[in-house]
Amino acid sequence: MKYMRQFFRYMLIIFAVFLIFCGGEDTAKKEIIRPVRYQQVLTAGSAQTRTFAGISKAGTETSLSFRVSGIISKTHVAVGQKVRKGSLIAEIDDSDARLDFDKTQAAERNAKTQLETARSNLNRVKSLFENNNVSLSEYESARNEYASARTNYETSVNNTNLKRREMGYFQLYSPVNGIVTAKPGKENENIQAGQVVAELSSEGDIRVTVGIPESYISRIQENMPISVRFSSFPDKQYEGSVSEISYAISESSTYPVKVKLKNPTQELRPGMPADVRFDFEAADQRERMIVPSSAVGEDLGGNFVFTLSESGNDLATVSKRPVIVGNITREGFEVLEGLQDGELVVTAGVESITDGITVKLLK
């Protein structure tokens, strides 16, 4: 019985060793090749390129409204319609205003009649006064009546002109050439003075508004050349220049900058997202080598990066390389020593790789 137990013990040991060796072979066969992202390190000169997100807007955006309250009797445009300067946009019912205007005209005519009567009376009394046929008081009374009548007439004329001008407030005309982008005002709707009835955007004049961080706003100047790409047309590049720089910071903690396009096309419309590229000059003229901050690691020996040696089929071997870093910029760390121009460094997945392993390169 003792020998049987020893026999089974030996068999179990042999079976365990067999599993270990088989499992090791499977592990070797199933070695995981981790994917990594990488970047080629290049020495950069003084020029620096920055791209900021922007949004296209019409060069001129106009909100149209009436100067008086009332009910919209007629609208003459539709959204998307092109209009010329002076085109009639909408009208307000002016029935009551016309009645007031008629009353004002009647008052003016009455005042004119009174003025003519007072003038005739003054001429008559003056002639009599000069012949000593009436007293001085009668002459002065006639002269005062004429002066009062003339004042009343001038006031009524001014009132008529004011009412005539106000009659124009009931028609709304376009002050510019453009395209109707919105028409919140509806027929038979009672609106208030100043309430927006239609919105116009200038045609063919597209600007791009872009938010610039505080660290770059001082480096932007008017007429500075830029280039713009729209996500709707990724294969096209538009040239432009800075036309306006805001002095105050916006709610998004950036400074609004407006860019005017030199070659806008008909396909561009307000509201399109855009990438605006600025070319800046560096603060100093020395060349520098920059790597993304995600590519730089640190251990007891100091800073390091993982370089890559390509072996074909999108595979590469990882090598741990100590480096000496300088200033940190928005692009990453400035590498002073340890890398050569043109080398490849791992930029993502640094925490999961080690020296000497094989990795797959992600384009």
Side-chain angles (χ1 to χ4, degrees):
M1 194 67 176
K2 178 180 180 182
Y3 292 108
M4 290 295 292
R5 285 197 300 270
Q6 290 179 347
F7 173 79
F8 282 116
R9 186 179 297 114
Y10 290 141
M11 291 298 293
L12 288 174
I13 294 173
I14 293 171
F15 183 72
V17 172
F18 175 79
L19 290 178
I20 291 174
F21 277 104
C22 290
E25 291 177 359
D26 291 341
T27 302
K29 291 179 182 178
K30 296 179 180 179
E31 179 182 359
I32 297 176
I33 299 179
R34 297 184 179 276
V36 296
R37 295 194 180 277
Y38 68 98
Q39 178 177 308
Q40 187 178 31
V41 179
L42 298 174
T43 301
S46 59
Q48 296 181 343
T49 299
R50 299 292 180 274
T51 301
F52 303 104
I55 191 78
S56 63
K57 292 187 176 181
T60 302
E61 295 179 333
T62 306
S63 297
L64 303 182
S65 61
F66 286 97
R67 299 176 64 174
V68 293
S69 302
I71 297 175
I72 298 178
S73 59
K74 183 68 175 178
T75 58
H76 298 272
V77 295
V79 174
Q81 179 179 335
K82 296 181 181 180
V83 296
R84 306 298 298 174
K85 181 178 180 179
S87 298
L88 182 60
I89 302 298
E91 298 177 77
I92 283 182
D93 181 16
D94 60 355
S95 302
D96 293 340
R98 286 193 176 278
L99 290 176
D100 289 340
F101 181 58
D102 291 342
K103 291 179 181 178
T104 305
Q105 286 182 311
E108 179 185 344
R109 290 192 296 268
N110 184 49
K112 185 177 181 180
T113 300
Q114 292 178 359
L115 175 62
E116 292 174 350
T117 301
R119 182 185 293 115
S120 298
N121 183 57
L122 175 62
N123 292 334
R124 181 182 63 81
V125 173
K126 180 180 179 182
S127 177
L128 294 173
F129 176 73
E130 291 174 350
N131 294 320
N132 296 320
N133 291 322
V134 295
S135 64
L136 176 62
S137 61
E138 289 184 39
Y139 171 66
E140 289 180 346
S141 177
R143 192 170 58 178
N144 290 337
E145 288 178 359
Y146 171 74
S148 177
R150 186 176 60 181
T151 300
N152 290 337
Y153 174 70
E154 290 174 351
T155 300
S156 63
V157 169
N158 290 334
N159 288 338
T160 301
N161 291 335
L162 176 61
K163 289 295 183 179
R164 183 179 290 109
R165 185 167 62 250
E166 288 179 349
M167 289 299 299
Y169 298 165
F170 292 84
Q171 293 82 41
L172 185 62
Y173 297 90
S174 173
V176 295
N177 298 334
I179 300 175
V180 180
T181 56
K183 196 184 73 170
K186 305 294 189 300
E187 290 186 6
N188 301 317
E189 179 182 5
N190 190 9
I191 63 169
Q192 300 300 315
Q195 184 176 337
V196 176
V197 174
E199 295 180 359
L200 301 182
S201 292
S202 56
E203 182 183 7
D205 182 16
I206 295 294
R207 310 290 174 97
V208 176
T209 300
V210 54
I212 303 298
E214 179 183 357
S215 56
Y216 285 98
I217 190 63
S218 62
R219 303 169 68 179
I220 294 179
Q221 306 295 329
E222 283 195 26
N223 300 318
M224 180 179 181
I226 53 85
S227 59
V228 180
R229 289 187 183 274
F230 293 89
S231 57
S232 302
F233 313 103
D235 297 332
K236 293 186 178 182
Q237 179 170 297
Y238 297 84
E239 302 302 322
S241 60
V242 175
S243 61
E244 184 179 320
I245 305 172
S246 176
Y247 184 77
I249 199 167
S250 66
E251 294 180 357
S252 60
S253 300
T254 59
Y255 289 86
V257 170
K258 290 186 178 180
V259 171
K260 183 178 181 179
L261 298 181
K262 295 179 180 178
N263 53 343
T265 56
Q266 294 295 328
E267 59 195 0
L268 294 180
R269 299 186 176 217
M272 289 183 172
D275 292 325
V276 184
R277 191 185 72 187
F278 294 81
D279 294 323
F280 298 106
E281 291 294 326
D284 55 33
Q285 299 300 314
R286 64 189 177 88
E287 293 188 336
R288 61 187 69 202
M289 184 178 293
I290 303 293
V291 298
S293 56
S294 59
V296 180
E298 186 176 7
D299 57 15
L300 295 178
N303 295 112
F304 65 89
V305 298
F306 286 114
T307 61
L308 297 168
S309 299
E310 295 184 273
S311 56
N313 297 325
D314 292 333
L315 299 178
T317 302
V318 174
S319 297
K320 186 177 181 180
R321 181 84 60 83
V323 294
I324 297 177
V325 299
N327 296 328
I328 184 170
T329 67
R330 286 182 172 271
E331 294 75 37
F333 284 101
E334 179 183 3
V335 177
L336 304 178
E337 294 183 17
L339 287 177
Q340 299 296 322
D341 191 48
E343 288 192 289
L344 304 180
V345 297
V346 178
T347 59
V350 174
E351 299 82 2
S352 59
I353 60 176
T354 56
D355 188 24
I357 68 170
T358 298
V359 295
K360 181 176 179 60
L361 303 179
L362 294 178
K363 300 296 185 182

